[in-house]
């Protein structure tokens, strides 16, 4: 018995060693899901899905995953990605009505199309190679045209204007990329329960894509373990932001529409994902409701807040949290089931009006000029109503100022003249020394790299409007470089406006450590906004001309070779017999009648009518054939002469 125990001891030691290598850490993978619902002032509803998946640091020899998607882990390990964000967006975020100075809009209000940026942990000489390989891998993973960003004319290397200060950062955007279910399906496959169970089951495709705005975002970052022999951990954050219009039968325009989960998405929540550590649904109410309940003890009066004179909730919240200007109702969906599904509804009783907090300046970008040769790009910054109430003002030399960073990319065929930069503050032109505090310019190279502009403006706090303009020339493309819909125009990606002195956060009085969504809201995020995508018309050739040339050339060649083959394959003997028979039928005239009468009178047999000699007919046919051949040869020679001259 003792010998048997001694024989098993090495096997147990080996097994424990393999388990230590496989996991490398006592921490386990965690997955959480959450849904935030928020009524908007313009009678719409914001639905924000938030999923977070954490993989703890592990041994560098390998990693075994239970919840974390293996495809994402392989991307991080193979391409040495330190931080990455990928977004697919359709529609434009309305900063005036949906907010611009809160963590939700700062992190999830994305430009139209596809946006990708990544920071690599590789030597500087290998950054571009890693970027190209990453774009190809993501293109196959999400069924999109992200591989178009591999070209050096499609991406840029920001230094400080984007917000992330790193010399190993690459940024690219595809404004014309169409977003559809082919992009959402692989995004959902990264979730442990996919869209079969939990909060993700609400993602009904028709409901999501009929909204005014939807953006699916994937953000991953690595977390260093700080221990020798352990690799870095990975935090994967997946969000889907949708703005929907509830169906209502009310004729009152001031009354907010009532809604429920089943009316918005056509589905109900029948339970949480069994693999999720936490599954919560949040309802955030802003404006007058939040201010009225500011002095209410949420723990004691929680049961009175969900049914009041302004609105009614269909379900009683488990907890109620309070912030300076908003209320947050928390619902736990672990108790829901098929017999008792979770279907949260909000019914308004009285008209309610409020406004969302906006960024200090609202940005708008547009084109100036006319014609297909040159033009100008202008950015207009207008002060908002909440500018004076926002924190983050900087006092320099006794003067209050607002800092604004502008980052934009120009395609190589838009040749920007940076020396034509003009800045206007309150309709008065200012010199660069007065307003422009920092600038970084990267000129474009034809068919090699795109142009980039990073600039920091320092505007007075009492500014009402500021305008920036810069002139450009339109380049010429080769016929092979035009896209299929060239007459539609060419896109200039959105410009990014950020305010480095302003940070948005939501700090509720009670912190929930188990909620990654509230933890992300508590962290201060840089206030930023994207401008419109510009559509620039370029000089476009007549793409129908090659078709017309090919058509007429083929027609002439068909006539030429058809006539030539017809002449060469014609049989002259058969034509002579055919002509004789035709001539014999037509020579029934007076001469034939006289010959028949003469033969009868003389008693001689009737002789057949005489025709022309064969030699004469053959000479006639040969001359006709020669004429046709000369005619076809002359046409061919004329075509060859004119084609060589052109």
């Amino acid at each position: 018995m003792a010998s048997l125990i001694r024989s098993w001891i090495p096997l147990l030691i080996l097994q424990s060693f393999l388990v230590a290598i496989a996991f490398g850490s006592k921490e386990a993978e965690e997955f959480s899901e959450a849904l935030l619902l928020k009524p908007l002032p313009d009678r719409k509803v914001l639905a924000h899905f938030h999923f977070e998946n954490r993989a703890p640091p592990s041994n560098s020899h390998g990693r075994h995953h239970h919840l974390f998607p293996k495809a994402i882990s392989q991307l991080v390990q193979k391409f040495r990605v330190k931080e990455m964000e990928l977004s697919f967006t359709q529609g434009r975020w309305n900063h005036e009505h949906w907010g611009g100075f809160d963590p939700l809009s700062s992190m999830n209000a994305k430009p139209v199309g596809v946006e990708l940026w990544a920071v690599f942990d590789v030597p500087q000489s290998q950054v571009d190679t890693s970027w190209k390989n990453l774009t190809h891998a993501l293109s196959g993973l999400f069924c999109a045209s992200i591989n178009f960003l591999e070209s050096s004319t499609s991406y840029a290397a920001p230094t400080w204007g984007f917000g992330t200060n790193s010399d190993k950062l690459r940024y690219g955007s595809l404004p014309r990329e169409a977003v559809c279910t082919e992009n959402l399906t692989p995004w959902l496959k990264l979730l442990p329960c996919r869209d079969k169970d939990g909060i993700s089951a609400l993602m009904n495709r028709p409901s999501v894509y009929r909204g005014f705005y939807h953006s699916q975002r994937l953000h991953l970052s690595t977390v260093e373990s700080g221990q020798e022999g352990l690799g870095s951990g990975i935090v994967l954050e997946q969000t889907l932001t949708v703005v929907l219009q509830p169906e209502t039968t009310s004729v009152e325009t001031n009354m907010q529409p009532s809604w429920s989960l089943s009316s918005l998405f056509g589905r109900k929540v029948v339970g949480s994902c069994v693999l999720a550590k936490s599954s919560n649904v949040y309802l955030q109410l802003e404006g007058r409701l939040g201010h009225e309940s500011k002095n209410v003890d949420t723990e004691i009066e929680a049961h009175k807040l969900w049914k009041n004179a302004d609105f009614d909730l269909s379900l009683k919240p488990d907890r109620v949290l309070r912030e300076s200007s908003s209320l947050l109702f928390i619902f736990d969906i672990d108790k829901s089931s098929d017999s008792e599904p979770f279907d949260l509804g909000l019914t308004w009783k009285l008209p309610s009006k409020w406004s969302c907090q906006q960024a200090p300046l609202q940005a708008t970008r547009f084109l100036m000029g006319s014609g297909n040769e040159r033009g100008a790009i202008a950015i207009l910054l207008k002060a908002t109503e909440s500018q004076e109430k926002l924190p983050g003002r900087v006092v320099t030399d006794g003067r209050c100022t607002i800092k604004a960073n502008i980052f934009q990319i120009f395609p190589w065929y838009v040749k920007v003249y940076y020396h034509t930069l003009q800045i206007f503050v309150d309709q008065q032109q200012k010199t660069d020394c007065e307003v422009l505090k920092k600038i970084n310019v990267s000129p474009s190279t034809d068919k090699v790299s795109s142009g980039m502009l990073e600039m920091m403006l320092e505007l007075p706090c009492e500014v009402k409007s500021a305008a920036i303009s810069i002139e450009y020339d339109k380049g010429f493309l080769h016929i092979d470089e035009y896209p299929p819909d060239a007459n539609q125009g060419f896109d200039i990606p959105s410009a990014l406006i950020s305010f480095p002195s302003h940070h948005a956060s939501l700090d509720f009085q009670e912190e929930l450590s188990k909620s990654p969504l509230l933890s992300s809201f508590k962290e201060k995020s840089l206030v930023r906004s994207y401008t419109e995508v510009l559509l620039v018309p370029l000089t476009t050739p007549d793409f129908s001309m090659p078709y017309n040339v090919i058509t007429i050339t083929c027609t002439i060649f068909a006539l030429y070779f058809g006539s030539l083959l017809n002449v060469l394959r014609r049989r002259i003997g058969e034509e002579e017999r055919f002509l004789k028979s035709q001539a014999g039928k037509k020579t029934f005239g007076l001469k034939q009648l006289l010959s028949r009468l003469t033969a009868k009178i003389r008693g001689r047999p009737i002789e057949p009518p005489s025709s022309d000699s064969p030699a004469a007919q053959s000479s006639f046919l040969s001359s006709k054939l020669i004429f046709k051949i000369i005619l076809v040869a002359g046409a061919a020679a004329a075509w060859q002469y004119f084609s060589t001259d052109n």
Side-chain angles (χ1 to χ4, degrees):
M1 185 67 181
S3 61
L4 181 61
I5 294 176
R6 285 194 300 268
S7 63
W8 278 96
I9 289 177
L11 295 178
L12 294 176
I13 295 175
L14 178 62
Q15 183 179 3
S16 62
F17 177 73
L18 293 177
V19 170
I21 290 179
F23 292 94
S25 176
K26 295 181 180 180
E27 300 180 7
E29 296 179 350
E30 295 180 358
F31 171 73
S32 61
E33 58 179 0
L35 170 62
L36 175 65
L37 299 172
K38 179 180 175 182
L40 299 175
D42 58 347
R43 299 169 54 85
K44 297 181 179 61
V45 178
L46 170 67
H48 177 70
F49 296 85
H50 183 273
F51 308 94
E52 185 175 286
N53 207 330
R54 289 179 173 267
S58 65
N59 194 286
S60 59
H61 295 287
R63 184 190 293 269
H64 180 72
H65 298 288
H66 295 275
L67 300 177
F68 198 86
K70 184 179 179 180
I72 300 299
S73 177
Q74 290 177 345
L75 286 179
V76 175
Q77 294 177 3
K78 185 174 182 180
F79 305 120
R80 304 286 300 276
V81 180
K82 187 176 181 180
E83 189 177 3
M84 186 196 76
E85 184 173 291
L86 173 66
S87 63
F88 297 86
T89 307
Q90 182 175 334
R92 187 171 182 268
W93 184 267
N94 191 337
H95 291 84
E96 183 179 358
H97 296 97
W98 303 344
F101 197 86
D102 59 286
L104 187 62
S105 61
S106 298
M107 295 185 295
N108 297 277
K110 296 297 179 180
V112 179
V114 171
E115 183 194 43
L116 173 65
W117 62 268
V119 180
F120 299 92
D121 188 15
V122 296
Q124 186 67 32
S125 59
Q126 301 178 6
V127 174
D128 292 334
T129 303
S130 300
W131 167 265
K132 294 178 181 180
N133 295 331
L134 178 63
T135 57
H136 281 273
L138 293 175
S139 179
L141 184 61
F142 292 99
C143 299
S145 304
I146 309 177
N147 58 315
F148 287 166
L149 294 176
E150 70 163 347
S151 175
S152 58
T153 59
S154 303
Y155 67 89
T159 54
W160 50 267
F162 186 71
T164 302
N165 298 330
S166 175
D167 57 348
K168 300 178 182 179
L169 170 66
R170 295 296 181 268
Y171 174 86
S173 177
L174 296 175
R176 198 170 291 191
E177 180 70 16
V179 184
C180 60
T181 56
E182 293 181 356
N183 311 124
L184 182 60
T185 300
W187 185 86
L188 290 172
K189 289 183 178 180
L190 300 177
L191 302 176
C193 294
R194 299 191 178 183
D195 59 343
K196 305 301 181 183
D197 200 4
I199 294 177
S200 58
L202 292 174
M203 296 182 186
N204 186 24
R205 306 304 195 276
S207 301
V208 171
Y209 286 100
R210 75 182 177 188
F212 288 85
Y213 172 88
H214 74 269
S215 175
Q216 61 185 64
R217 184 176 67 97
L218 182 143
H219 180 272
L220 64 89
S221 59
T222 57
V223 181
E224 299 296 335
S225 61
Q227 301 180 11
E228 186 177 357
L230 289 181
S232 58
I234 307 175
V235 179
L236 175 63
E237 182 183 3
Q238 295 178 248
T239 61
L240 176 64
T241 307
V242 188
V243 177
L244 302 174
Q245 177 66 59
E247 298 180 359
T248 179
T249 57
S250 177
V251 296
E252 297 184 12
T253 58
N254 296 329
M255 181 72 71
Q256 289 286 333
S258 302
W259 51 266
S260 63
L261 288 179
S262 57
S263 64
L264 292 177
F265 300 100
R267 297 178 181 178
K268 302 178 182 180
V269 180
V270 296
S272 62
C273 178
V274 295
L275 301 175
K277 183 179 180 181
S278 62
S279 298
N280 297 319
V281 175
Y282 303 94
L283 175 61
Q284 183 182 3
L285 297 179
E286 289 184 337
R288 182 171 61 89
L289 302 174
H291 288 289
E292 289 180 354
S293 60
K294 186 175 181 179
N295 299 323
V296 178
D297 190 349
T298 55
E299 291 294 337
I300 300 176
E301 303 292 339
H303 64 282
K304 296 182 180 180
L305 291 176
W306 66 291
K307 286 185 179 294
N308 51 56
D310 293 325
F311 62 90
D312 283 345
L313 298 180
S314 61
L315 299 175
K316 182 179 180 180
D318 297 323
R319 300 186 66 181
V320 180
L321 297 182
R322 183 178 60 212
E323 205 257 344
S324 59
S325 61
S326 63
L327 278 177
L328 188 68
F329 298 90
I330 305 175
F331 302 87
D332 192 358
I333 64 173
D334 292 334
K335 301 178 182 179
S336 60
S337 59
D338 293 334
S339 58
E340 296 182 0
F342 180 84
D343 188 16
L344 176 62
L346 174 62
T347 304
W348 294 93
K349 297 180 180 179
L350 296 176
S352 181
K353 291 184 178 181
W354 69 93
S355 60
C356 294
Q357 201 170 14
Q358 303 179 21
L361 300 173
Q362 185 177 357
T364 305
R365 190 172 64 158
F366 52 90
L367 292 175
M368 297 190 303
S370 60
N372 292 328
E373 296 182 4
R374 58 185 61 90
I377 299 176
I379 297 179
L380 179 62
L381 302 175
K382 287 186 177 181
T384 58
E385 297 178 356
S386 58
Q387 175 185 354
E388 299 179 357
K389 305 177 183 179
L390 297 178
R393 298 187 175 190
V394 180
V395 179
T396 305
D397 298 333
R399 188 169 61 97
C400 179
T401 58
I402 298 176
K403 292 184 178 180
N405 291 344
I406 300 177
F407 166 73
Q408 53 182 340
I409 299 177
F410 305 103
W412 66 267
Y413 45 79
V414 177
K415 306 179 186 300
V416 178
Y417 297 105
Y418 296 98
H419 69 279
T420 62
L421 179 65
Q422 295 181 353
I423 302 176
F424 299 87
V425 176
D426 293 335
Q427 300 181 358
Q428 294 182 1
Q429 187 173 358
K430 300 291 183 179
T431 61
D432 297 342
C433 305
E434 296 176 344
V435 181
L436 189 61
K437 298 303 177 183
K438 194 177 180 180
I439 187 171
N440 179 30
V441 173
S442 177
S444 61
T445 305
D446 288 353
K447 305 181 182 181
V448 176
S449 63
S450 58
M452 182 185 65
L453 174 63
E454 297 174 293
M455 55 191 306
M456 176 185 291
L457 301 179
E458 202 169 74
L459 304 173
C461 294
E462 62 275 5
V463 63
K464 299 300 180 181
S465 65
I468 304 163
S469 66
I470 189 169
E471 299 179 3
Y472 68 92
D473 279 352
K474 301 178 182 180
F476 293 92
L477 279 70
H478 191 267
I479 190 171
D480 297 334
E481 297 172 345
Y482 285 92
D485 52 349
N487 292 314
Q488 180 181 350
F490 294 80
D491 297 310
I492 298 181
S494 300
L496 174 62
I497 313 297
S498 58
F499 304 92
S501 301
H502 294 76
H503 294 81
S505 63
L506 289 177
D507 188 8
F508 293 94
Q509 291 184 355
E510 298 184 17
E511 179 182 359
L512 295 181
S513 59
K514 296 182 180 180
S515 176
L517 177 61
L518 298 184
S519 300
S520 63
F521 285 171
K522 187 177 181 180
E523 297 177 358
K524 293 184 178 180
S525 59
L526 183 66
V527 176
R528 56 175 62 185
S529 62
Y530 289 89
T531 63
E532 301 89 348
V533 176
L534 296 182
L535 192 63
V536 180
L538 297 182
T539 303
T540 306
D542 185 7
F543 292 101
S544 63
M545 184 56 66
Y547 171 78
N548 297 334
V549 172
I550 293 173
T551 302
I552 190 172
T553 303
C554 293
T555 303
I556 293 177
F557 271 93
L559 293 175
Y560 171 70
F561 285 105
S563 302
L564 184 61
L565 291 175
N566 187 23
V567 170
L568 295 177
R569 293 177 58 86
R570 182 177 296 175
R571 297 180 180 180
I572 300 177
E574 294 182 358
E575 289 188 359
E576 291 179 355
R577 289 191 294 270
F578 178 75
L579 292 175
K580 287 181 180 180
S581 61
Q582 291 295 108
K585 293 179 181 179
K586 294 180 180 179
T587 55
F588 191 79
L590 180 61
K591 184 177 180 181
Q592 188 176 2
L593 292 176
L594 293 175
S595 61
R596 287 184 178 183
L597 290 175
T598 306
K600 285 185 177 182
I601 294 173
R602 296 180 179 179
R604 297 178 181 178
I606 301 175
E607 297 180 358
S610 61
S611 58
D612 296 338
S613 62
Q617 293 183 359
S618 62
S619 62
F620 173 74
L621 291 176
S622 61
S623 61
K624 187 176 181 181
L625 176 61
I626 293 172
F627 176 75
K628 288 183 177 180
I629 293 175
I630 293 174
L631 180 62
V632 172
W639 168 255
Q640 182 68 20
Y641 174 76
F642 287 109
S643 62
T644 53
D645 287 347
N646 294 334

